[in-house]
Amino acid sequence: MQLKRLLLTTTSLCMLSLLPLPALAQDAALAAAYNAYVEASSGTDADAKAAAEAAFLAECQRVGAPSLDECIAMATGAAATEQPAPPAEEPAAPAEEPAPPAAEPAPPAAEPAPPAAEQPAPEQPAAEPAPAEQPAAEPAPAEQPSPASDPALIAAYQAYIAASSGTNDEATVAAEAAFLAECNRLGIQSLDECLALMGGAPAATPATPAQPGEAPATETPAAETPAADQSGQPLEVVPDQQTPDAPVAPVLDSAKDAMKAGAEAPPPAAPPAAETPPPASDADAQAAPPPPPAEIEAAVATKGEPIEQLPAPELPPTVKVVKESEDNRLIINIGVQINIFTPYQDRDRLGRDSDVTYEQLENGRVRQTVIRADGTRIITVWNRQGEVIRRVKVLPDGTRIILVFAADDDRDHDWRDPGDDLPPFYLPVPIADYVLYADNSDEGQIEQFLSEPPLEKFDRVYTVDEVKRSARIRDTVRRVEIGDLTFETGSAQLGRDQVGSLSKVAAAMKAILARNPGETFLIEGHTDAVGPDDANLILSDQRAETIANLLSEFYDIPPENLTTQGYGERYLKVQTDGEERANRRATVRRITSLVTPSAT
């Protein structure tokens, strides 16, 4: 499929580059998009190529060519032969009125004058001129939702962002020209004004974006929200999409949830500009005060009653258990969402090759104490629902490192999404500064990227499970995607030859942990949509756990610094029910500031 697509694209580009492009020359925005497409295709930046192609296709669709092939044919003259004879047939595609031949010429022929001359001829009655004038005013309703929701403008903006993050200056210039042409088409004459509407300029200059982690620092002054689709949310950028005809999903998981639920309530005409820039540090992101020393002491030293077997979790009445796997994973329904939950999660990973004891504490809580060979103790406290609420690492010299410390109150006892109390989240940075592909990055870039603070301030600490269940909360931290792992079909096991794919991520984690041993990394597992939902949830959860185990066993990442969650097919990057490599992935997020007061 990729070879076929490459041959088609190469052939098409050669054909197009040899022509004067008479059809394209009639439409400045289309011509600019085509030029940007040619420039991007001559480079090596896959993201820029994909974005430029999407922008060109959006322009093709705007002028009535629904596919790239058809647009190329039109540009090379194949479709031109059909146009001269019946000028009234061309407008028939966007038929919206009972008398399309008269009313419709306005959209495609708004620039050329001929259709205006043809309209009076077929429509003699006095009543008809009124509709004939109506199309002239129709461009205004088309722009009513705000220029920021125009698909062609969105595609051109994304192509501009992608090209600006590369090193091909010609592609950047062409993409900027295409974007400005789109702005002009919608009545916006200034590039700065159009950028402000769409959420800000691209990351820094084309020469510097080689280090994605640095981009947020340079972008801080222009921390505005990039708009991309009619909901105001940016779309995923998928460099190697296996199913190129399938649409991509929004980049934010909360936007994916809203789309799947059919939530089409439009946000403001343009995403709200951030009143303040994103937090500059973890301390700036988390406003919750450090836990009182007495609470830390209670978590570590309060005497409990020894137990041999963990009690069954007391799940909220709003949670329905659909299925239980053999390894204690629960498929549950919370409202309309299907999730996977493992009570007392991570206990086996933490206790491997160590002495382990359990104690029953008050309020239905359970404490696990893991004693390592060097005397280090890992103390974990779960609430009566089996969720981790405290985790403290006590070194042999008595030093206490707070890993997880959430309030033990009733806020999470109904498992209501805490993100429901927050306004919709809009991405205040370019996508390139939010998603990093590990296989295309080096260890230093991954370390710097994961070290960046959350993109929003919080006034409280969340439990680890609240973060796992809330796409809205997780969306505030950047993600590193590991897409080059190959699991056997239906298997959660990785061969030893695959372990090396984790080396750069592991090295970055080690460097971060050397600065702060209290970090927590969330490893997410994702599948494509082939197979039953529950099977995909279990498989993705097992695969995330496999990656965590490998990071600990092969790279010595302490297991207490890792937690895992499977999401199955819930957050597809590419919207297809078939096989799609981009949907089968693992994601790493650093969630420290969400689950621990930063002052600790």
Side-chain angles (χ1 to χ4, degrees):
M1 176 64 74
Q2 289 180 331
L3 178 60
K4 179 180 177 182
R5 188 174 177 218
L6 176 62
L7 290 173
L8 176 62
T9 302
T10 305
T11 304
S12 303
L13 288 175
C14 292
M15 295 173 66
L16 287 169
S17 61
L18 295 173
L19 294 175
L21 303 177
L24 299 178
Q26 295 179 11
D27 190 302
L30 183 61
Y34 163 73
N35 290 332
Y37 174 43
V38 172
E39 289 294 343
S41 298
S42 67
T44 58
D45 189 326
D47 289 351
K49 286 181 185 178
E53 181 177 322
F56 181 42
L57 181 56
E59 280 301 315
C60 296
Q61 292 171 336
R62 181 177 65 80
V63 299
S67 70
L68 188 64
D69 294 345
E70 189 171 336
C71 196
I72 291 173
M74 180 173 65
T76 56
T81 58
E82 299 176 7
Q83 293 174 354
E89 272 185 35
E90 204 173 344
E96 297 174 1
E97 311 250 339
E104 286 299 315
E111 290 119 21
E118 288 183 16
Q119 281 177 328
E123 308 206 352
Q124 297 172 351
E128 290 297 336
E133 290 181 13
Q134 196 174 354
E138 207 144 326
E143 295 179 17
Q144 194 173 0
S146 160
S149 63
D150 183 88
L153 181 64
I154 291 166
Y157 173 70
Q158 290 182 330
Y160 177 40
I161 293 295
S164 299
S165 67
T167 57
N168 188 329
D169 292 343
E170 290 80 6
T172 302
V173 171
E176 179 177 321
F179 177 50
L180 182 57
E182 279 301 318
C183 300
N184 294 343
R185 180 178 65 82
L186 296 170
I188 306 169
Q189 301 304 317
S190 162
L191 181 66
D192 290 341
E193 182 183 353
C194 205
L195 282 172
L197 174 69
M198 300 304 290
T205 63
T208 53
Q211 299 193 11
E214 292 181 0
T218 55
E219 281 294 310
T220 298
E224 296 183 60
T225 345
D229 63 7
Q230 57 266 47
S231 70
Q233 297 289 3
L235 300 177
E236 293 273 13
V237 175
V238 185
D240 300 312
Q241 187 171 334
Q242 187 178 352
T243 50
D245 294 332
V248 295
V251 70
L252 298 178
D253 284 354
S254 57
K256 291 183 179 79
D257 275 344
M259 178 187 67
K260 187 174 293 188
E264 298 185 6
E275 296 180 2
T276 57
S281 66
D282 283 357
D284 190 27
Q286 182 54 262
E295 289 192 25
I296 300 176
E297 181 66 22
V300 172
T302 297
K303 187 173 179 59
E305 180 180 345
I307 56 175
E308 295 294 329
Q309 187 174 358
L310 294 172
E314 301 177 19
L315 302 184
T318 54
V319 175
K320 178 183 178 182
V321 177
V322 177
K323 179 179 180 180
E324 181 173 1
S325 69
E326 294 179 357
D327 55 357
N328 200 38
R329 301 173 206 268
L330 304 179
I331 304 296
I332 58 175
N333 277 344
I334 307 176
V336 297
Q337 298 290 2
I338 182 171
N339 296 267
I340 189 166
F341 171 64
T342 304
Y344 310 110
Q345 193 180 32
D346 305 329
R347 67 185 185 279
D348 293 333
R349 287 194 307 105
L350 295 177
R352 188 172 292 124
D353 301 324
S354 304
D355 293 332
V356 182
T357 60
Y358 294 97
E359 297 170 273
Q360 183 78 60
L361 305 178
E362 62 180 5
N363 295 329
R365 294 176 297 162
V366 173
R367 179 171 62 207
Q368 178 197 57
T369 301
V370 175
I371 304 177
R372 303 249 166 88
D374 65 352
T376 297
R377 289 183 295 156
I378 309 299
I379 297 166
T380 301
V381 178
W382 293 282
N383 62 17
R384 64 176 179 267
Q385 296 174 332
E387 301 176 292
V388 58
I389 56 172
R390 311 280 164 83
R391 181 165 289 153
V392 182
K393 185 174 186 175
V394 183
L395 302 181
D397 64 2
T399 301
R400 294 173 176 176
I401 300 170
I402 309 296
L403 295 162
V404 174
F405 213 97
D408 184 18
D409 54 28
D410 291 332
R411 280 182 295 193
D412 187 39
H413 286 180
D414 61 357
W415 287 9
R416 179 176 171 273
D417 185 349
D420 291 345
D421 297 329
L422 303 173
F425 180 67
Y426 289 93
L427 198 60
V429 296
I431 295 176
D433 299 335
Y434 182 70
V435 181
L436 183 71
Y437 291 91
D439 48 337
N440 296 331
S441 308
D442 60 34
E443 168 193 330
Q445 290 173 317
I446 298 172
E447 175 194 346
Q448 195 162 17
F449 200 83
L450 284 175
S451 298
E452 294 292 344
L455 295 167
E456 186 176 58
K457 295 185 178 182
F458 294 99
D459 59 4
R460 79 168 178 97
V461 171
Y462 299 94
T463 69
V464 171
D465 288 282
E466 278 184 306
V467 174
K468 292 178 181 181
R469 288 194 298 266
S470 177
R472 170 64 177 81
I473 303 298
R474 284 194 316 279
D475 278 343
T476 63
V477 291
R478 295 167 174 85
R479 71 185 200 227
V480 171
E481 297 204 349
I482 311 172
D484 53 354
L485 295 175
T486 304
F487 289 88
E488 292 296 326
T489 302
S491 170
Q493 300 306 310
L494 275 176
R496 286 182 175 270
D497 59 328
Q498 295 289 306
V499 174
S501 300
L502 296 171
S503 60
K504 292 183 290 186
V505 172
M509 286 181 173
K510 275 189 170 181
I512 294 172
L513 289 169
R515 297 194 301 268
N516 176 22
E519 301 282 4
T520 297
F521 297 96
L522 170 62
I523 300 173
E524 304 173 3
H526 300 269
T527 69
D528 58 24
V530 177
D533 284 359
D534 57 349
N536 283 334
L537 270 174
I538 293 173
L539 184 60
S540 64
D541 205 50
Q542 291 171 335
R543 287 178 173 177
E545 197 168 276
T546 293
I547 293 171
N549 286 331
L550 292 175
L551 287 170
S552 296
E553 293 170 10
F554 285 87
Y555 296 102
D556 297 323
I557 304 297
E560 60 268 19
N561 295 108
L562 305 173
T563 190
T564 63
Q565 181 65 33
Y567 292 102
E569 60 190 71
R570 180 170 172 179
Y571 298 113
L572 300 176
K573 291 165 66 74
V574 180
Q575 300 175 53
T576 175
D577 292 333
E579 294 186 6
E580 171 55 60
R581 182 175 48 252
N583 289 332
R584 301 190 297 269
R585 67 200 188 278
T587 296
V588 177
R589 303 181 196 255
R590 187 178 68 89
I591 63 170
T592 308
S593 296
L594 305 180
V595 299
T596 308
S598 57
T600 60

